[in-house]
């Protein structure tokens, strides 16, 4: 039995929960400690049991020799006696539950927020893989200028796959020109021009990375005329770069996630309304997980950052229909500061 499973069984004992059924794939992989893509259900009773289809039973037994693997026979039997479920449980399964049951998702989120050494190694490896894709862009900017956004995505994802990524952590964002003013625009067959924003992530052993770089290619003095003070691309980039450094100065164990975001908004001063998303988020088995680094969270939702959390810091400014700039890295929170897990060079202009 691994430590994560034993800790959760202790939690169940303390809460008086007899049986828990876990269906969310990332939660199952967290407890298993390995990436498993096939259908599975993890059941906690006196110990943990992994239920899989008949086709995958031999494979699962080969992978997971620390727990009993059983063949899945049906939902009614699986949920029989269950009094603990995730908040994500599909409504179709509620008919199998007893009247009184507890939601156990908060406990799993708390456990997953603090990464152990093995998790950190996996995330750091994923970060090194996505770094290599960013490095390819640096070395080939002249060639990239002649490519379409889709072509660059294909090259980036090939590089990450070649270096050990299971898959992209999310739909790769490679956008240029005015589309960079839309934070999550998707790539098209448009040719790269003016400004290039690349937001990508790799997946290694189930763990994600997340990194963003913005490249100023030409026309850096294009102005945004709809404000009292004109703001060109180069000045916008410098503001975002310095905001990220400012956040780093305050990032350490003990600071609240909300206050870190609020500090950066105040740093942007008259341009803070152009910062239209949160400062960051947790990263692990999912590319977006707890904690949320946002000034919009309530007192109840706010989280004090602790050693072992892995988060992004990603300030950005977006001038609608003109251009946008975002710079993002991945950080391991430490007692006195942080360790930066992504290391691709940040261009200076």
């Amino acid at each position: 039995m691994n430590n994560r499973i034993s800790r959760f069984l202790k939690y169940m004992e303390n809460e008086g929960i007899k049986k828990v059924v876990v269906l969310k794939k990332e939660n199952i992989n967290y407890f298993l400690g390995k990436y498993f893509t096939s259908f599975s259900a993890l059941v906690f009773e006196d110990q943990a049991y992994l239920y899989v289809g008949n086709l995958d039973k031999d494979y699962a037994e080969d992978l997971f020799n620390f727990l009993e693997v059983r063949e899945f026979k049906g939902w009614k039997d699986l949920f029989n006696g269950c009094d603990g479920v995730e908040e994500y449980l599909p409504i179709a399964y509620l008919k199998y539950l007893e009247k009184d049951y507890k939601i156990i998702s908060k406990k799993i989120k708390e456990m997953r927020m603090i990464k152990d050494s093995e998790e950190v190694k996996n995330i750091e490896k994923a970060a090194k893989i996505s770094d290599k894709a960013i490095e390819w862009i640096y070395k080939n900017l002249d060639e990239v200028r002649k490519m379409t956004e889709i072509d660059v995505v294909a090259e980036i994802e090939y590089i990450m796959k070649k270096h050990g990524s299971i898959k992209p952590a999310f739909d790769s964002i490679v956008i240029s020109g005015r589309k960079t003013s839309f934070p999550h625009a998707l790539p098209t067959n448009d040719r790269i021009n003016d400004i290039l924003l690349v937001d990508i992530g790799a997946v290694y052993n189930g763990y994600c990375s997340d990194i963003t770089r913005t490249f100023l290619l030409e026309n850096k003095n294009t102005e945004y005329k709809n404000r009292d003070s004109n703001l060109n691309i180069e000045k916008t980039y410098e503001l975002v770069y310095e905001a990220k450094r400012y956040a780093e100065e305050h990032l350490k164990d003990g600071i609240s996630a909300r206050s870190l975001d609020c500090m950066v908004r105040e740093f942007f001063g008259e341009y803070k309304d152009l910062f239209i998303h949160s400062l960051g988020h947790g990263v692990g088995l999912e590319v977006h997980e707890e904690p949320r680094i946002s000034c919009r969270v309530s007192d109840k939702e706010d989280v004090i950052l602790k050693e072992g959390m892995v988060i992004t810091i990603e300030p950005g400014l977006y001038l609608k229909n003109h251009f946008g700039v975002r710079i993002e890295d991945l950080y391991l929170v430490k007692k006195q500061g942080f360790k930066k897990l992504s290391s691709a060079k940040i261009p200076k202009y």
Side-chain angles (χ1 to χ4, degrees):
M1 185 187 301
N2 67 32
N3 182 52
R4 298 171 197 172
I5 289 175
S6 61
R7 285 168 57 203
F8 190 74
L9 287 170
K10 185 65 177 177
Y11 156 78
M12 288 174 57
E13 182 183 338
N14 293 339
E15 294 294 318
I17 301 172
K18 303 299 183 192
K19 182 178 180 179
V20 168
V21 175
V22 176
L23 297 180
K24 184 177 171 69
K25 189 172 293 294
E26 291 82 5
N27 287 340
I28 294 173
N29 288 346
Y30 170 73
F31 286 113
L32 297 180
K34 290 183 180 179
Y35 186 69
F36 189 65
T37 60
S38 300
F39 164 78
S40 61
L42 188 61
V43 175
F44 292 90
E45 294 181 272
D46 56 322
Q47 62 186 64
Y49 302 94
L50 183 65
Y51 287 79
V52 300
N54 180 60
L55 188 65
D56 298 303
K57 190 169 184 291
D58 290 344
Y59 177 50
E61 286 176 337
D62 190 61
L63 280 178
F64 310 115
N65 58 9
F66 54 86
L67 82 172
E68 183 178 330
V69 177
R70 295 175 171 178
E71 184 180 344
F72 173 79
K73 298 289 188 180
W75 294 112
K76 186 175 182 180
D77 288 341
L78 191 78
F79 281 104
N80 183 38
C82 175
D83 58 350
V85 294
E86 301 158 298
E87 62 188 355
Y88 324 98
L89 186 72
I91 194 169
Y93 300 146
L94 291 178
K95 62 187 176 184
Y96 300 119
L97 295 179
E98 297 178 1
K99 185 176 180 180
D100 296 320
Y101 59 87
K102 293 184 178 180
I103 304 296
I104 48 80
S105 295
K106 183 178 179 181
K107 178 60 180 179
I108 298 179
K109 286 178 182 178
E110 288 174 358
M111 292 176 68
R112 284 179 51 184
M113 269 198 285
I114 306 296
K115 273 61 179 178
D116 61 30
S117 59
E118 193 62 35
E119 290 181 289
V120 172
K121 286 178 185 176
N122 285 328
I123 297 170
E124 194 163 16
K125 177 64 176 177
K128 290 184 184 302
I129 292 170
S130 49
D131 282 343
K132 289 184 182 297
I134 296 292
E135 288 163 6
W136 176 83
I137 293 178
Y138 276 117
K139 294 174 183 176
N140 297 278
L141 270 178
D142 288 341
E143 180 184 346
V144 167
R145 284 184 174 95
K146 303 171 187 175
M147 298 171 69
T148 68
E149 296 164 351
I150 289 290
D151 288 338
V152 176
V153 169
E155 194 67 38
I156 282 173
E157 293 186 357
Y158 167 74
I159 291 167
M160 291 196 295
K161 190 84 170 179
K162 184 179 177 182
H163 286 92
S165 177
I166 298 168
K167 59 182 179 180
F170 50 92
D171 290 333
S172 300
I173 299 172
V174 175
I175 48 179
S176 66
R178 63 180 288 274
K179 280 191 296 184
T180 59
S181 69
F182 309 121
H184 291 156
L186 291 178
T188 67
N189 283 316
D190 291 345
R191 288 201 173 277
I192 305 298
N193 68 89
D194 294 351
I195 181 171
L196 172 64
L197 190 151
V198 179
D199 186 348
I200 58 173
V203 178
Y204 183 79
N205 279 349
Y207 285 83
C208 302
S209 63
D210 195 359
I211 184 172
T212 305
R213 293 292 183 265
T214 303
F215 301 88
L216 308 189
L217 304 178
E218 56 188 346
N219 296 334
K220 290 185 290 185
N221 292 318
T222 298
E223 291 181 340
Y224 179 55
K225 304 277 191 183
N226 296 338
R227 299 186 65 84
D228 294 335
S229 299
N230 289 327
L231 194 59
N232 61 40
I233 292 179
E234 194 167 28
K235 182 178 178 181
T236 304
Y237 187 95
E238 185 65 22
L239 276 169
V240 172
Y241 179 88
E242 292 300 331
K244 183 168 171 292
R245 290 185 58 188
Y246 182 73
E248 290 173 348
E249 291 173 6
H250 296 87
L251 176 57
K252 64 178 181 179
D253 178 290
I255 190 169
S256 90
R258 183 174 64 181
S259 66
L260 193 60
D261 181 292
C262 292
M263 287 177 187
V264 172
R265 289 182 196 281
E266 291 309 308
F267 176 88
F268 278 134
E270 64 177 305
Y271 302 113
K272 63 184 177 182
D273 290 344
L274 302 178
F275 183 26
I276 57 178
H277 54 70
S278 62
L279 181 64
H281 52 84
V283 175
L285 286 158
E286 295 171 273
V287 76
H288 288 94
E289 57 182 49
E290 297 296 328
R292 292 169 57 201
I293 318 299
S294 172
C295 68
R296 297 181 179 91
V297 300
S298 66
D299 289 340
K300 186 177 180 181
E301 296 171 312
D302 194 16
V303 171
I304 301 300
L305 299 186
K306 296 179 181 177
E307 186 171 31
M309 290 182 177
V310 174
I311 65 168
T312 65
I313 296 293
E314 48 182 303
L317 295 176
Y318 305 90
L319 290 70
K320 188 174 180 180
N321 288 319
H322 289 72
F323 60 84
V325 172
R326 180 166 72 255
I327 307 173
E328 174 187 25
D329 275 307
L330 201 52
Y331 301 83
L332 171 66
V333 179
K334 307 281 281 183
K335 278 289 184 189
Q336 299 299 323
F338 59 85
K339 177 182 179 182
K340 193 144 78 83
L341 301 182
S342 49
S343 59
K345 180 181 177 183
I346 302 176
K348 282 285 287 174
Y349 298 100

